Amino acid sequence: MKVNSSAKDQKISKPAGFISIDSAVKQNREQVVENHKTYLNAGLAMMLGLLNFDRQFVRAEGIYVWDSKGDKYLDFLGAYGALNTGHNHPRVLEALDRVKEMPNLLQASLGTVAGALARNLALITPGNLQRSFICNSGAEAVEGALKMARAASGRQKLIYCEGSFHGKTLGALAVTGRGKYQKAFQPLVPGCTSVPYGDLDALEYELKKEETAAFILEPVQGEGGIIIPPPGYLPEVRRLCSKYGTLLIIDEIQTGLGRTGKMFACQHDDVIPDIMCLAKSLGGGIMPAGAYITTDEIWKKAYGGMEKALLHTSTFGGNTWAAAAGIAALEIILEENLPEKARETGEYLLSGLTRLKEKYPLVKDVRGRGLMVGIEFNQPGGLAAKASFGLATKLSEEYLGSLVAGELMNKHRIITAYTLNNPNVIRLEPPLSVSKEQIDIVLQALEDIFATHKGFFSAAKAGAKSIIKSFIKK
């Protein structure tokens, strides 16, 4: 076949406006916002801009981040629990440097570092959990766990809890307990049934039909508003699942690796799951990493032998850099005894928040375990009623937590956010090395907000109107 010489010699050049990495890191805030509004999620960019959350952060270390103006912030959001070891921990960066010349992606081989990470996970997880599948995110870990449960059990039905959050991919979304995130994507994966969190009678009613592959739950509901299960709930769940031949999947994606004061939250109740999901802080705050781990027996039922070895795979799962970050993260958590630090400083934080609750009626509840803490607010009287826009009542239900988070960010330079399934709750999930002195700064900032809440919520009403006007213009 003859090749046209002019086509053969034609060079591919960078298009006008192409941004190099050197230019990318030198962009200003306005350029970053414009890129997001034009090429990414415009609605999200608008939402963050309304609360002045569209700052440009340029440096991070430990619990601190700095914006492009040089202002310093305390990060009490912690990437929703992904920063147990803090921002840019030097030992994680050193681990990446150690493997930088190794092949990162090479499927026709057995990953050297991935095998070591899997061995370490088997050593630190409870009971006889042994075989891991390493992936890239929490949603992937949940997807894999659900697939494994169906393959190993021969059953199809899946049970999950109301108020739960397990991810936004189609399978994980099917077992996520908030209709807002499900409605646009229906029909979801069939055979999924919800029960109230903490309701053993409702759970047994479904389990005794003996058609359920797995019951998936969080040992503390994160996006549900930092909900602690009733005493004795998890052990009884374990007993019921065993009784009716249902696999128990415990989602430790947000609670795991020290966050709640133990290495895994299920260990507070001495409960051993059949399958455990991990992610977030497994990547050391730097690399995307997730995993699910199960027993040798369950693994062999699902994927044992060469015939079934390729039923569930991932191109990037277990890549060298992510596995190296995972090993370093586990070393840091163990050697720095971060679970115990989380227990001690978490008790200190909850104690301080409880004092604020007793003092200020605006605070409806404070709850948590370790450094996974939520503050729930009462609706301020008259805020919605006095607003002159019909949407204000509905909007205030989704707005109050973000108002407090906005005040913490804009006035006190403290980063937090509300929980997705309960927007009247803001979460406090700092790196596990946080000090009591840093916690005191947050407690004082919250007291300043609560002490002046009348003026604050007067401004909030105006803010709600501005948001409604912005939506109307769109």
Side-chain angles (χ1 to χ4, degrees):
M1 177 179 176
K2 190 172 181 180
V3 179
N4 184 291
S5 60
S6 61
K8 181 177 69 174
D9 297 334
Q10 186 177 4
K11 293 180 67 176
I12 299 175
S13 59
K14 291 186 292 186
F18 187 91
I19 303 174
S20 68
I21 185 60
D22 286 338
S23 297
V25 298
K26 293 177 183 177
Q27 294 176 104
N28 60 34
R29 178 177 176 177
E30 289 71 25
Q31 291 171 313
V32 172
V33 170
E34 184 58 31
N35 283 341
H36 279 260
K37 286 184 174 179
T38 306
Y39 304 107
L40 289 164
N41 189 332
L44 178 61
M46 182 181 74
M47 181 189 302
L48 294 178
L50 287 169
L51 291 167
N52 203 23
F53 267 42
D54 58 352
R55 283 174 172 76
Q56 183 185 21
F57 292 103
V58 298
R59 187 162 76 90
E61 180 182 341
I63 195 171
Y64 293 106
V65 294
W66 289 260
D67 68 16
S68 54
K69 294 182 178 180
D71 292 330
K72 181 179 177 181
Y73 298 75
L74 275 171
D75 185 354
F76 263 66
L77 177 58
Y80 310 117
L83 288 171
N84 288 8
T85 56
H87 289 277
N88 295 328
H89 197 292
R91 290 183 60 181
V92 180
L93 295 174
E94 287 168 8
L96 299 182
D97 188 63
R98 176 67 181 81
V99 301
K100 67 182 181 182
E101 295 183 358
M102 295 180 69
N104 190 38
L105 300 171
L106 188 57
Q107 276 68 34
S109 69
L110 297 174
T112 300
V113 187
L117 174 60
R119 178 188 177 95
N120 290 345
L121 289 175
L123 292 173
I124 67 168
T125 48
N128 58 344
L129 297 176
Q130 176 183 336
R131 295 189 181 272
S132 291
F133 182 91
I134 303 173
C135 53
N136 310 284
S137 70
E140 280 188 57
V142 169
E143 293 279 349
L146 298 177
K147 288 176 66 178
M148 168 162 279
R150 282 185 167 180
S153 69
R155 298 176 176 181
Q156 292 187 345
K157 184 175 177 179
L158 301 165
I159 301 176
Y160 65 98
C161 287
E162 296 171 6
S164 65
F165 187 92
H166 298 291
K168 291 180 178 175
T169 53
L170 202 63
L173 187 59
V175 294
T176 285
R178 192 178 185 200
K180 172 181 178 177
Y181 299 120
Q182 296 178 324
K183 185 176 180 181
F185 308 104
Q186 292 174 336
L188 300 172
V189 173
C192 299
T193 300
S194 67
V195 296
Y197 190 63
D199 190 333
L200 291 167
D201 291 337
L203 175 62
E204 186 168 19
Y205 176 81
E206 296 296 337
L207 290 178
K208 68 183 180 182
K209 299 174 186 178
E210 297 191 352
E211 58 187 17
T212 300
F215 175 42
I216 182 169
L217 85 161
E218 302 154 277
V220 176
Q221 283 196 336
E223 304 305 331
I226 317 298
I227 307 298
I228 310 297
Y233 176 64
L234 262 62
E236 189 63 10
V237 164
R238 172 70 278 177
R239 187 189 71 81
L240 289 173
C241 285
S242 298
K243 177 180 178 180
Y244 293 108
T246 294
L247 298 177
L248 173 59
I249 302 172
I250 291 190
D251 179 343
E252 292 267 7
I253 290 165
Q254 190 168 170
T255 55
L257 302 177
R259 169 62 53 185
T260 68
K262 287 189 179 289
M263 184 60 80
F264 303 103
C266 62
Q267 292 176 317
H268 288 283
D269 293 287
D270 295 321
V271 168
I272 300 171
D274 298 300
I275 306 172
M276 177 187 287
C277 298
L278 301 171
K280 292 193 183 293
S281 61
L282 181 62
I286 294 175
M287 296 297 297
Y292 63 86
I293 183 168
T294 189
T295 65
D296 181 61
E297 178 186 4
I298 293 170
W299 180 280
K300 287 178 178 176
K301 287 179 180 179
Y303 302 134
M306 289 189 290
E307 183 181 349
K308 296 189 287 185
L310 297 179
L311 288 180
H312 188 72
T313 59
S314 168
T315 299
F316 294 101
N319 70 77
T320 299
W321 282 49
I327 291 174
L330 295 182
E331 282 189 299
I332 294 163
I333 291 166
L334 292 168
E335 293 177 11
E336 297 184 7
N337 200 12
L338 293 184
E340 178 60 19
K341 288 184 179 179
R343 185 193 66 78
E344 292 179 359
T345 50
E347 288 178 357
Y348 183 81
L349 174 58
L350 277 170
S351 176
L353 292 173
T354 299
R355 290 194 297 272
L356 293 179
K357 175 181 178 293
E358 293 169 352
K359 190 174 179 181
Y360 299 104
L362 180 65
V363 182
K364 181 177 181 179
D365 194 20
V366 296
R367 52 186 178 262
R369 185 167 280 170
L371 283 170
M372 187 175 180
V373 176
I375 310 169
E376 184 169 9
F377 300 104
N378 286 305
Q379 287 291 320
L383 172 61
K386 294 177 184 177
S388 59
F389 291 86
L391 291 176
T393 299
K394 184 176 187 300
L395 185 59
S396 69
E397 295 174 0
E398 296 270 343
Y399 191 51
L400 185 53
S402 62
L403 283 174
V404 178
E407 186 79 349
L408 285 169
M409 166 84 89
N410 296 318
K411 183 177 180 181
H412 300 277
R413 294 177 187 160
I414 297 166
I415 302 171
T416 60
Y418 63 80
T419 56
L420 288 178
N421 288 351
N422 191 342
N424 279 330
V425 176
I426 62 168
R427 50 156 46 99
L428 301 175
E429 296 186 55
L432 305 188
S433 58
V434 66
S435 68
K436 291 180 179 179
E437 290 74 20
Q438 291 163 334
I439 288 173
D440 285 339
I441 293 172
V442 174
L443 292 173
Q444 185 58 58
L446 287 167
E447 178 142 32
D448 289 346
I449 293 171
F450 301 156
T452 59
H453 74 274
K454 290 184 179 179
F456 168 63
F457 285 109
S458 176
K461 181 174 67 176
K465 291 182 180 181
S466 297
I467 287 181
I468 295 170
K469 287 179 180 178
S470 298
F471 279 119
I472 290 172
K473 288 179 181 178
K474 295 293 179 181

